[in-house]
């Protein structure tokens, strides 16, 4: 198992490097850099002024060099100004140039400076991850148990009326986009007497007060959309397990149906849904952009939109790095969990 984990970690690191380099290359294309220069200066800047700004800030270096500096494996660029002062990537305004570190990249914890929010990127990432983390916690607490119960109930008796009803509900929730269900929920709960009484909170206020009434509508919108996919996978897995030979043997031996489901079928039926559940974390991190925008919840997905629309290169790179890490780590956990849950797989 240790060798398996080490191999997976090695592949994960190589994949992370490749993906981050692609994102770094795309964000550092010259049209993006030109837009950044004009945003920080003015949109009437000439081509010479744009080139001068980019040169003064280290953007015109070769791409591999810039990527190495951003990672923190190469020394940061330095440049002497016309007044003789030394400036560079690692030189802070409050720190003398002689005391500045040579390396200042992702590996050293320096995520850069946001040109939109005018603050350190690391602080923004930490705050927005915390906000989205609260939302993800509530969604998973509602979505996962509900989806597993629906899937198991539907798969226990394939083709029954219960199976058809629950399968139809699961397909309907998955086929309904979040922006449709979100608008419907807003219209229903914002106008009804029950909604005004019990769910009068807003997702904006949930950023400071994470209570049930504030989180209810965005959580319900996201959970319903993701619930259907997990329920359908659980139903298919449960239906397949219920037709296995050992289940038939248990029935012939007179084992009661509840015992067959709980003691023999349930564990094997949850192997496939486990992988699907783990894949929900990357989706919840970045895929809820529509919901966060609809309910004005300024989480991680909202930050991604702001960084992309305002050409905030450092923030966009940081969001991409966190997203890549979350995807790869959840995939690693999924692979390890699949090995432990499935007795037919042997790792040497």
């Amino acid at each position: 198992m240790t060798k398996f984990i080490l191999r997976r970690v090695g592949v994960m690191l190589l994949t992370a490097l490749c993906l981050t380099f692609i994102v770094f290359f795309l964000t550092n294309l010259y049209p993006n850099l030109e837009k950044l220069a004009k945003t920080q200066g003015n949109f009437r800047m000439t081509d010479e002024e744009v080139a001068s700004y980019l040169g003064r800030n280290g953007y015109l270096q070769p791409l591999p060099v810039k990527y190495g500096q951003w990672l923190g494996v190469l020394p940061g660029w330095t440049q002497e100004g016309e007044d003789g002062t030394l400036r560079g990537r690692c030189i802070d305004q409050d720190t003398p140039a002689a005391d500045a570190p040579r390396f200042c990249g992702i590996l050293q914890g320096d995520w850069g400076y946001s040109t939109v929010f005018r603050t350190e990127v690391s602080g923004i990432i930490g705050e927005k991850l915390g906000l989205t983390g609260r939302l993800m916690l509530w969604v998973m607490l509602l979505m996962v148990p509900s989806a597993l119960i629906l899937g198991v109930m539907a798969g226990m008796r394939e083709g029954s009326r219960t199976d058809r009803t629950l399968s139809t509900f699961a397909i309907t929730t998955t086929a309904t986009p979040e922006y449709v269900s979100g608008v419907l929920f807003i219209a229903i709960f914002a106008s009804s007497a029950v909604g005004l009484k019990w769910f009068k909170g807003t997702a904006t206020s949930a950023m400071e007060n994470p209570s049930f009434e504030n989180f209810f509508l965005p959580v319900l919108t996201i959970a319903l959309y993701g619930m259907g996919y997990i329920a359908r996978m659980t139903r298919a897995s449960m239906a397949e397990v219920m037709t296995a030979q050992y289940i038939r043997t248990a029935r012939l031996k007179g084992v009661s149906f509840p015992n067959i489901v709980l003691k023999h079928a349930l564990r094997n039926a949850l192997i496939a849904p486990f992988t699907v559940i783990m894949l929900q974390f990357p989706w919840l991190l970045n895929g809820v952009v529509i919901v966060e925008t609809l309910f004005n919840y300024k989480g991680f997905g909202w930050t991604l939109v702001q960084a992309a629309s305002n050409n905030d290169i450092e923030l966009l790179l940081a969001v991409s790095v966190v997203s890549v890490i979350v995807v790869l780590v959840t995939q690693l956990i999924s692979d390890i969990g699949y090995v432990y849950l499935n007795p037919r797989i042997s790792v040497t």
Side-chain angles (χ1 to χ4, degrees), residues 81-94:
E82 296 179 355
D83 56 355
T85 58
L86 194 65
R87 54 192 302 272
R89 176 181 176 88
C90 303
I91 301 176
D92 193 285
Q93 294 180 352
D94 301 327

Side-chain angles (χ1 to χ4, degrees), residues 171-192:
I171 294 174
T172 302
T173 58
T174 305
T176 305
E178 303 102 308
Y179 58 84
V180 174
S181 57
V183 171
L184 289 176
F185 289 145
I186 291 174
I188 293 172
F189 289 102
S191 59
S192 65

Side-chain angles (χ1 to χ4, degrees), residues 16 68 88 127 158 177 179 224 267 270 284 289-290 292 301 303 325:
E127 177 189 357
E158 186 179 10
Y179 58 84
L224 278 179
R267 177 183 174 181
L270 293 180
L284 287 174
V289 174
I290 296 175
E292 289 189 352
T303 304
I325 292 174

Side-chain angles (χ1 to χ4, degrees), residues 200-281:
K200 55 186 177 182
T202 62
T204 304
S205 58
M207 292 187 290
E208 298 180 357
N209 180 23
S211 62
F212 173 75
E213 65 177 14
N214 292 335
F215 267 119
F216 176 72
L217 290 183
V219 166
L220 183 61
T221 302
I222 300 170
L224 278 179
Y225 183 77
M227 183 189 303
Y229 185 45
I230 300 176
R232 290 166 59 197
M233 289 295 297
T234 307
R235 182 259 177 201
S237 181
M238 189 69 182
E240 181 181 357
V241 169
M242 292 300 292
T243 60
Q245 185 63 44
Y246 68 93
I247 297 295
R248 295 176 183 174
T249 304
R251 286 181 174 179
L252 291 175
K253 289 183 177 181
V255 180
S256 63
F257 188 76
N259 285 334
I260 290 176
V261 173
L262 296 176
K263 295 183 178 181
H264 299 279
L266 192 56
R267 177 183 174 181
N268 291 330
L270 293 180
I271 294 176
F274 174 78
T275 304
V276 177
I277 291 171
M278 293 305 302
L279 293 178
Q280 301 305 305
F281 286 96

Side-chain angles (χ1 to χ4, degrees), residues 23-72:
V23 175
F24 190 87
F25 168 74
L26 294 176
T27 53
N28 279 270
L29 292 174
Y30 192 81
N32 291 336
L33 299 179
E34 183 180 12
K35 182 180 177 181
L36 174 65
K38 292 183 177 180
T39 301
Q40 298 305 303
N42 63 79
F43 285 93
R44 296 184 179 179
M45 293 174 66
T46 63
D47 293 342
E48 291 76 12
E49 291 172 332
V50 170
S52 175
Y53 172 86
L54 296 178
R56 292 196 309 269
N57 290 276
Y59 288 110
L60 296 183
Q61 300 178 97
L63 185 67
V65 175
K66 289 193 296 182
Y67 181 68
Q69 293 174 349
W70 175 74
L71 281 179

Side-chain angles (χ1 to χ4, degrees), residues 72-238:
V73 297
L74 292 179
W77 60 269
T78 55
Q79 192 176 88
E80 186 175 352
E82 296 179 355
D83 56 355
T85 58
L86 194 65
R87 54 192 302 272
R89 176 181 176 88
C90 303
I91 301 176
D92 193 285
Q93 294 180 352
D94 301 327
T95 305
D99 299 333
R102 294 185 61 209
F103 299 86
C104 54
I106 297 296
L107 298 179
Q108 288 77 33
D110 189 343
W111 295 73
Y113 188 81
S114 171
T115 57
V116 173
F117 295 96
R118 302 295 179 180
T119 186
E120 295 294 330
V121 169
S122 57
I124 300 173
I125 294 297
E127 177 189 357
K128 302 307 180 182
L129 274 178
L131 291 174
T132 300
R134 296 179 192 172
L135 184 63
M136 290 170 63
L137 176 63
W138 284 101
V139 170
M140 296 300 284
L141 289 176
L142 175 62
M143 179 177 65
V144 174
S146 303
L148 293 178
I149 292 173
L150 290 177
V152 170
M153 291 179 61
M156 285 191 306
R157 299 186 184 276
E158 186 179 10
S160 65
R161 179 179 298 179
T162 301
D163 178 24
R164 294 194 298 269
T165 302
L166 295 179
S167 297
T168 302
F169 174 76
I171 294 174
T172 302
T173 58
T174 305
T176 305
E178 303 102 308
Y179 58 84
V180 174
S181 57
V183 171
L184 289 176
F185 289 145
I186 291 174
I188 293 172
F189 289 102
S191 59
S192 65
V194 176
L196 292 175
K197 181 179 180 180
W198 296 102
F199 309 114
K200 55 186 177 182
T202 62
T204 304
S205 58
M207 292 187 290
E208 298 180 357
N209 180 23
S211 62
F212 173 75
E213 65 177 14
N214 292 335
F215 267 119
F216 176 72
L217 290 183
V219 166
L220 183 61
T221 302
I222 300 170
L224 278 179
Y225 183 77
M227 183 189 303
Y229 185 45
I230 300 176
R232 290 166 59 197
M233 289 295 297
T234 307
R235 182 259 177 201
S237 181
M238 189 69 182

